[in-house]
Amino acid sequence: MIQVLRQDSDGSGTQLLLHPPRALSARQFVQLFAALAGLMVFAAGLAWLSGNRLAPVFALLHGFLVAAALRACWRSSNRREEIRVGPDCVEVIPAA
């Protein structure tokens, strides 16, 4: 997402704030993971009933991997960059 912070009245400079869009709120993120974990547990239960005794272990491991990946994606959306465009230079500054 691009947000215009400031634009000089004479048109010689602009200041922009860039940050990745978030498709989910924190609550929706937790709900998504809960739904995915529920499906993994259900599938592992069916596999266990059909004779695959290691399915719950692999489902648990897979759940941790999916949680770590979703958390990394969520945390990476906190990045922001400020871009200042002037008549003779362009500056890109990582914002906190």
Side-chain angles (χ1 to χ4, degrees), residues 12-74:
S12 64
T14 303
Q15 189 175 357
L16 306 168
L17 181 66
L18 293 154
H19 53 90
R22 282 190 170 166
L24 301 174
S25 68
R27 182 177 178 181
Q28 291 170 331
F29 175 78
V30 170
Q31 291 173 344
L32 171 66
F33 180 73
L36 291 174
L39 288 172
M40 286 186 283
V41 168
F42 178 72
L46 289 178
W48 183 76
L49 289 174
S50 67
N52 185 350
R53 299 297 177 219
L54 292 177
V57 175
F58 289 121
L60 185 63
L61 177 64
H62 186 259
F64 282 124
L65 292 174
V66 168
L70 288 175
R71 181 175 167 89
C73 288
W74 178 264

